[in-house]
Amino acid sequence: MAQRKSKKTNSNKTDCSRTGMTLIDLNRCFNEHLFYTQGRLPLSATLNDHYMAAAYTVRDRLLHRWVCTVRDFIREGVKVVGYLSAEFLLGPHLGNNMINLDIFDEVREASENVGRNLDAMLDHEEEPGLGNGGLGRLAACYLDSLATLEIPAIGYGIRYEFGIFDQEIRDGWQVEKTDKWLRLGNPWEIPRPEVTYEVKFGGHTAGYCDDGGCYRSRWTPDRVVRGIAYDTPILGYKVNTCNMLRLWKAEAVESFDFASFNVGNYYGAVHEKVYSENISKVLYPNDEQIQGKQLRLEQQYFFVSCSLQDMIRLHLAIGKSLEYFHEEFAIQLNDTHPSVAVAELMRLLVDEHHMDWDTAWHVTRNVFGYTNHTLLPEALERWPLRLFANLLPRHLEIIFEINRRFLDEVRVIYPDDEARIARLSLIDEQGERYVRMANLACVGSRAINGVAKLHTELLKTTVLKDFYELWPEKFSNKTNGVTPRRWMVLSNPGLTRLIRSRIGGGWIKKLDRLKRLESYAGDDAFRREWQAVKTGNKQALAALILERTGISVNPDSMFDIQVKRIHEYKRQHLNVLHVVTLYNRLRRNPGLDMLPRTVIFGGKAAPSYYMAKLIIKLINSVADVVNHDPAVRNRLKVVFFPDFNVKSAQKIYPAADLSEQISTAGKEASGTGNMKFSMNGALTIGTLDGANVEIREEVGADNFFLFGLTAEEVARIKSEGYDPRSIYLSNPDLREAIDLIGSGFFSRGDPDLFKPLVDSLLYQDEYMLLADYQSYVDCQDRVSEAYRDRDRWTRMAILNVARMGKFSSDRAIREYCREIWRVSPNTVEMEDFGDLVR
Ligand code: GLS
């Protein structure tokens, strides 16, 4: 083929007409897609047609930048980050990509030109809910920051056909509905049917001598599945870097078993296809809880194997030897979910590429980094040895060999310390034997990090203590961050406009610059405008709440919000105890001058987590009674916002006055919702847990409502013997609240309904709600007091936003790049590909 002449341009706003950025270009492209892609005339176009045309119009511009980015990947030989994550909770693409391309206003106008309101189109988009909560959303924020900082990166994960379930509330209970996010097609992904890899499962291994006389192991699987790549472009903010998220879909190697088909066994013939496709069928809906299911390990191994094979192919394609793999790639393990990668890379290098063990181990140990995201014991992944051996026999051999060599090293350092050796071992041998995935990740990585200062310190002194003592230099902290593009610019246009009017827009990429807002905290006019923005956001949320729940809430009341996964350690039920306490005050004293509050909850419970589901039922039951009690006279409203997801989060955070971050100290690794609330001008009521500690440090103790035990106190009281019942007996308000719940008052007279919750508080109280109750209620009283002085509150809110610079995911990613991955930015220049793109 004849070489085309190409022309490079430096500007982001290329003048190339096919993907031009002017209103005229966008209008034309939009109409072309309506006609040629959707096959519609404007008159007959549906909302979905218009959405698709807008999405393709925006996507064309992403692809142009993507092509330029990939050109550099190949040409420049730059070091690439491979971010391995079982979850990417991306949220809707259209609005975000318009922001990053800086064409929001133009696309709004182009859509109005065809008689369609942009907000209706944005609302129409199904979000890819390929994650459970914080961990998956963090991965999405990190992809945004990697691209914005112009770091070449590939996110690798699973293209779940069904993401996190949709939540409906029926009679106060959570009901799970299948998330059919692909139903209307997905304009943001590009299938790559030619990028496929085979992944083996089961079978057995046998030793043999290769031609050079080397002893090797041959794995004969009993099942092979094919992974197919689906790519989603991830554009940075106002840069040309467009990275990719590559998600794997599982398919059968042969769709039909013709032998069965020919003898008339149709069902037998499609069995393999159905069985193989199961692997990428559905996301496990558990946050911080593992279930030890074989399919889950199959999912993990499936995407890890495809991703490593892909990186190896890319590496070999640029003509480099695999000995240097770790110089061209830095691979991050997002929690232990992808940690089987350590064994798989060894297998690929040793068995498939015939590298010697020591060289392969050197490469492996230098390519991986491991991020731990939780201290909860129930979330530490371990696989029963038998299950592991059946599914991945060769990997188990490799893990045994890694372990043998590792423990030999340990024995030299700690002779005769058998207890320590047992704790460090990759195999748990107390009782039934397990493979410990966190240990595998630690041994196979050159860097290990926690996600907030406190969390990292606790890691070093508790779950990973032995590894910390062995390799202190491997450990570091990388406090989480969130992207201000999605969580401020896109979700809170009113606030963004106001901030821009005073300090320009530089903060969107350099969030520290929000500091400049501090001087406006004392400015009356600014504060009025600030309040007007908040009121507008609260009105919008009130309208949404009415639409979704039928509950009408007063935007002048304080919006006190707790949205996150439902989990006992996050203590939504402590919040409920406060609500019931307020309600009791009103019942006791109907004329009470109480600050009007709307307490809003949202979040999904793992379908098999009984207590979490009961907490949802409790919230709805309390809401039902309180909201209908005429004596309350609108001073207290309780709302459970159904189906909390990225899309609704974008409406919720900007409308919050108060952010509830009330986990038991030492349990929440970091939290990221806490950051999103604060960036949108909510004040936090919180414990000294996770990143709350650092948020408080940054915004100042005066601008943060602190309560509760510290992590140290929690540990000490636990070790001395904690007795929740004595607290219950000695605190009349607490007793009244618990008794009211236990009496059946909120459950139509049924005292049994909430008994499991009440009993667990009275007799165990694993998460120490009772110990923190009084401190929480007192703190809430201080919150109400502060809110009455609206000017003081607004000043505090402005200072919160001004001091949130640290919590940009850009800062976090810079730290990962510098201290773990050792990668540097690569500026992508736009190239006008001439006739190719006209
Ligand atoms: C989590 C933690 O629970 C959160 O505290 C943390 O912010 C998040 C991202 O680091 O990771 N771990 C987990 O398994 N789910 C989470 O949300």
Side-chain angles (χ1 to χ4, degrees):
M1 214 212 295
Q3 281 282 313
R4 285 172 200 275
K5 268 218 181 125
S6 61
K7 189 173 90 204
K8 278 190 171 181
T9 64
N10 279 326
S11 100
N12 180 33
K13 298 227 168 187
T14 167
D15 54 6
C16 160
S17 60
R18 176 68 177 80
T19 52
M21 307 286 268
T22 68
L23 182 59
I24 297 171
D25 298 326
L26 292 163
N27 267 328
R28 195 179 57 221
C29 192
F30 189 97
N31 285 319
E32 279 179 8
H33 276 301
L34 205 54
F35 195 92
Y36 290 113
T37 312
Q38 293 303 108
R40 292 281 198 222
L41 286 171
L43 266 179
S44 56
T46 63
L47 174 60
N48 189 53
D49 292 323
H50 279 142
Y51 163 73
M52 290 299 246
Y56 283 118
T57 302
V58 169
R59 193 184 86 168
D60 288 345
R61 278 130 193 95
L62 300 189
L63 293 189
H64 189 173
R65 284 155 184 77
W66 187 0
V67 167
C68 297
T69 306
V70 172
R71 174 205 59 205
D72 281 10
F73 259 47
I74 301 162
R75 208 194 273 163
E76 321 277 339
V78 284
K79 188 170 182 183
V80 177
V81 175
Y83 198 84
L84 294 192
S85 179
E87 303 189 6
F88 287 93
L89 189 46
L90 297 168
H93 294 279
L94 179 60
N96 198 249
N97 283 325
M98 284 158 52
I99 299 271
N100 285 4
L101 283 166
D102 198 18
I103 54 170
F104 207 95
D105 296 336
E106 289 86 343
V107 177
R108 184 178 286 283
E109 212 174 320
S111 55
E112 267 151 27
N113 288 343
V114 297
R116 201 51 95 174
N117 175 266
L118 178 64
D119 296 325
M121 289 203 284
L122 293 174
D123 227 39
H124 176 75
E125 182 172 347
E126 281 277 348
E127 71 173 74
L130 309 185
N132 274 286
L135 177 143
R137 183 53 233 174
L138 185 80
C141 283
Y142 281 0
L143 291 186
D144 178 276
S145 285
L146 280 161
T148 297
L149 296 173
E150 305 181 289
I151 306 293
I154 307 174
Y156 281 109
I158 301 175
R159 182 181 178 274
Y160 300 105
E161 187 178 335
F162 305 117
I164 186 69
F165 62 85
D166 294 335
Q167 179 193 56
E168 281 182 12
I169 301 298
R170 275 199 225 140
D171 187 29
W173 293 98
Q174 165 175 297
V175 175
E176 299 92 22
K177 295 270 152 176
T178 315
D179 160 54
K180 299 188 179 142
W181 69 289
L182 291 167
R183 190 178 37 197
L184 295 174
N186 175 10
W188 302 102
E189 70 183 4
I190 301 185
R192 303 283 190 202
E194 77 288 9
V195 180
T196 74
Y197 299 97
E198 294 196 344
V199 180
K200 303 187 262 193
F201 292 99
H204 61 272
T205 62
Y208 72 100
C209 266
D210 70 10
D211 297 344
C214 254
Y215 178 80
R216 300 197 171 276
S217 185
R218 179 177 291 127
W219 177 17
T220 312
D222 57 20
R223 192 154 60 94
V224 179
V225 171
R226 177 172 289 149
I228 300 184
Y230 282 71
D231 294 345
T232 302
I234 306 287
L235 180 70
Y237 177 68
K238 290 200 198 179
V239 290
N240 299 324
T241 300
C242 187
N243 287 327
M244 75 175 169
L245 171 61
R246 179 158 275 182
L247 300 178
W248 302 102
K249 176 178 193 266
E251 280 194 0
V253 172
E254 279 294 341
S255 290
F256 284 93
D257 171 353
F258 283 100
S260 303
F261 194 61
N262 290 338
V263 294
N265 182 4
Y266 181 78
Y267 288 99
V270 293
H271 173 261
E272 159 136 9
K273 178 172 163 60
V274 172
Y275 193 71
S276 302
E277 288 181 358
N278 266 347
I279 291 182
S280 56
K281 198 55 97 189
V282 59
L283 166 77
Y284 275 92
N286 309 303
D287 190 51
E288 315 220 39
Q289 251 182 317
I290 56 145
Q291 285 199 314
K293 291 275 196 294
Q294 172 164 327
L295 181 59
R296 170 83 170 173
L297 181 57
E298 288 178 13
Q299 290 186 334
Q300 296 182 349
Y301 176 61
F302 164 73
F303 95 88
V304 158
S305 178
C306 290
S307 309
L308 288 174
Q309 291 186 62
D310 197 46
M311 283 182 262
I312 287 177
R313 177 185 60 88
L314 293 170
H315 180 81
L316 295 175
I318 56 168
K320 288 265 172 100
S321 149
L322 281 176
E323 273 164 74
Y324 304 108
F325 184 62
H326 57 290
E327 291 174 10
E328 301 297 320
F329 278 96
I331 306 178
Q332 195 65 20
L333 305 174
N334 196 28
D335 215 280
T336 50
H337 315 149
S339 57
V340 69
V342 172
E344 172 65 355
L345 184 58
M346 286 301 287
R347 187 191 69 83
L348 289 166
L349 296 177
V350 173
D351 293 1
E352 312 263 326
H353 294 273
H354 295 180
M355 192 181 270
D356 66 89
W357 180 279
D358 289 335
T359 312
W361 187 235
H362 176 78
V363 169
T364 299
R365 267 197 139 170
N366 280 293
V367 81
F368 289 117
Y370 158 52
T371 305
N372 173 289
H373 291 271
T374 184
L375 300 158
L376 296 190
E378 64 267 34
L380 287 182
E381 288 194 298
R382 3 173 259 168
W383 295 103
L385 204 81
R386 226 156 354 119
L387 186 155
F388 203 98
N390 283 336
L391 195 69
L392 301 171
R394 176 62 185 136
H395 295 77
L396 191 61
E397 278 178 6
I398 291 173
I399 287 171
F400 282 151
E401 182 60 15
I402 295 173
N403 203 32
R404 189 186 64 77
R405 291 169 182 241
F406 166 58
L407 294 183
D408 280 351
E409 278 173 39
V410 174
R411 278 194 192 94
V412 173
I413 305 168
Y414 302 105
D416 304 324
D417 192 346
E418 286 308 314
R420 184 186 296 264
I421 288 164
R423 292 193 304 270
L424 283 166
S425 172
L426 305 190
I427 310 296
D428 180 346
E429 316 219 36
Q430 311 152 298
E432 194 193 340
R433 295 205 294 166
Y434 290 93
V435 182
R436 293 167 165 159
M437 300 312 272
N439 294 33
L440 178 63
C442 286
V443 173
S445 299
R446 45 175 284 270
I448 300 164
N449 74 283
V451 290
K453 270 194 221 163
L454 174 67
H455 171 235
T456 304
E457 285 315 305
L458 291 171
L459 269 184
K460 293 186 201 168
T461 50
T462 61
V463 277
L464 299 182
K465 180 169 185 279
D466 294 307
F467 285 101
Y468 177 63
E469 285 171 5
L470 188 61
W471 299 312
E473 69 289 351
K474 275 198 191 186
F475 282 73
S476 74
N477 174 55
K478 301 284 167 283
T479 298
N480 285 166
V482 302
T483 168
R485 271 74 65 183
R486 183 176 291 273
W487 297 113
M488 294 182 78
V489 182
L490 179 62
S491 9
N492 204 339
L495 190 69
T496 301
R497 222 172 295 126
L498 176 61
I499 298 176
R500 266 185 203 272
S501 75
R502 300 305 202 277
I503 64 167
W507 55 275
I508 298 170
K509 267 190 160 172
K510 300 209 157 66
L511 206 64
D512 283 329
R513 292 200 184 157
L514 284 176
K515 270 256 143 51
R516 297 177 188 174
L517 279 180
E518 278 192 23
S519 58
Y520 292 93
D523 175 335
D524 267 356
F526 185 74
R527 281 205 304 266
R528 296 287 93 76
E529 288 180 60
W530 187 280
Q531 285 164 3
V533 168
K534 183 60 82 181
T535 304
N537 294 341
K538 288 168 75 177
Q539 286 163 343
L541 180 60
L544 194 63
I545 289 174
L546 184 63
E547 182 193 313
R548 299 277 166 92
T549 67
I551 303 172
S552 122
V553 302
N554 173 13
D556 291 331
S557 63
M558 181 171 85
F559 277 17
D560 167 351
I561 309 189
Q562 185 172 20
V563 282
K564 48 181 80 245
R565 287 299 287 244
I566 312 291
H567 201 296
E568 287 162 281
Y569 87 79
K570 294 179 191 274
R571 302 200 294 191
Q572 281 89 355
H573 45 339
L574 179 58
N575 192 343
V576 174
L577 286 178
H578 173 242
V579 169
V580 175
T581 302
L582 292 181
Y583 180 55
N584 281 336
R585 284 183 193 168
L586 288 171
R587 295 202 311 151
R588 223 180 292 135
N589 179 3
L592 186 70
D593 172 25
M594 195 185 98
L595 178 89
R597 278 198 197 224
T598 301
V599 184
I600 301 166
F601 295 85
K604 295 175 185 177
S608 58
Y609 188 173
Y610 174 69
M611 282 300 219
K613 290 178 126 174
L614 196 56
I615 290 173
I616 294 180
K617 174 65 177 167
L618 175 65
I619 294 168
N620 282 307
S621 303
V622 170
D624 215 26
V625 171
V626 169
N627 297 348
H628 291 105
D629 187 337
V632 168
R633 280 191 282 110
N634 289 329
R635 282 167 295 177
L636 184 60
K637 273 272 162 79
V638 182
V639 173
F640 188 88
F641 189 99
D643 201 33
F644 176 63
N645 56 14
V646 176
K647 211 173 173 181
S648 55
Q650 290 174 193
K651 302 239 158 46
I652 292 173
Y653 294 122
D657 292 308
L658 185 66
S659 153
E660 298 270 355
Q661 306 302 333
I662 60 176
S663 50
T664 319
K667 299 291 177 190
E668 187 71 89
S670 161
T672 43
N674 46 5
M675 301 166 187
K676 295 166 199 168
F677 273 114
S678 200
M679 276 180 190
N680 283 282
L683 301 188
T684 306
I685 181 165
T687 47
L688 282 180
D689 199 15
N692 294 353
V693 177
E694 290 157 77
I695 292 176
R696 181 166 171 270
E697 255 170 39
E698 292 294 305
V699 305
D702 294 345
N703 302 306
F704 186 105
F705 295 97
L706 178 69
F707 77 95
L709 298 170
T710 63
E712 256 173 31
E713 288 164 343
V714 165
R716 184 173 46 76
I717 297 175
K718 278 256 167 97
S719 71
E720 289 170 3
Y722 171 54
D723 176 18
R725 225 184 132 69
S726 67
I727 304 177
Y728 162 81
L729 291 174
S730 63
N731 186 324
D733 289 344
L734 171 64
R735 205 165 60 219
E736 197 184 352
I738 293 187
D739 287 352
L740 198 64
I741 296 170
S743 72
F745 184 85
F746 298 109
S747 39
R748 300 187 184 120
D750 175 4
D752 290 335
L753 182 62
F754 299 121
K755 195 167 184 311
L757 261 176
V758 168
D759 284 355
S760 104
L761 290 181
L762 293 184
Y763 302 109
Q764 289 157 9
D765 197 17
E766 165 86 29
Y767 299 105
M768 301 182 94
L769 279 76
L770 303 205
D772 276 347
Y773 168 82
Q774 197 55 52
S775 164
Y776 179 54
V777 171
D778 293 344
C779 191
Q780 286 284 21
D781 289 340
R782 294 200 299 279
V783 168
S784 298
E785 215 27 60
Y787 193 75
R788 283 179 191 273
D789 180 351
R790 218 45 80 82
D791 271 348
R792 175 178 158 219
W793 185 275
T794 308
R795 205 172 308 125
M796 289 165 80
I798 295 169
L799 291 179
N800 259 261
V801 174
R803 297 170 181 175
M804 285 303 286
K806 169 170 173 184
F807 302 99
S808 166
S809 43
D810 298 346
R811 185 271 313 148
I813 285 298
R814 269 195 206 97
E815 290 178 6
Y816 277 96
C817 287
R818 204 175 43 235
E819 295 160 28
I820 296 183
W821 302 329
R822 302 187 185 146
V823 293
S824 21
N826 173 61
T827 307
V828 174
E829 290 181 351
M830 287 301 282
E831 187 168 336
D832 176 349
F833 292 94
D835 293 347
L836 268 179
V837 288
R838 287 204 196 281

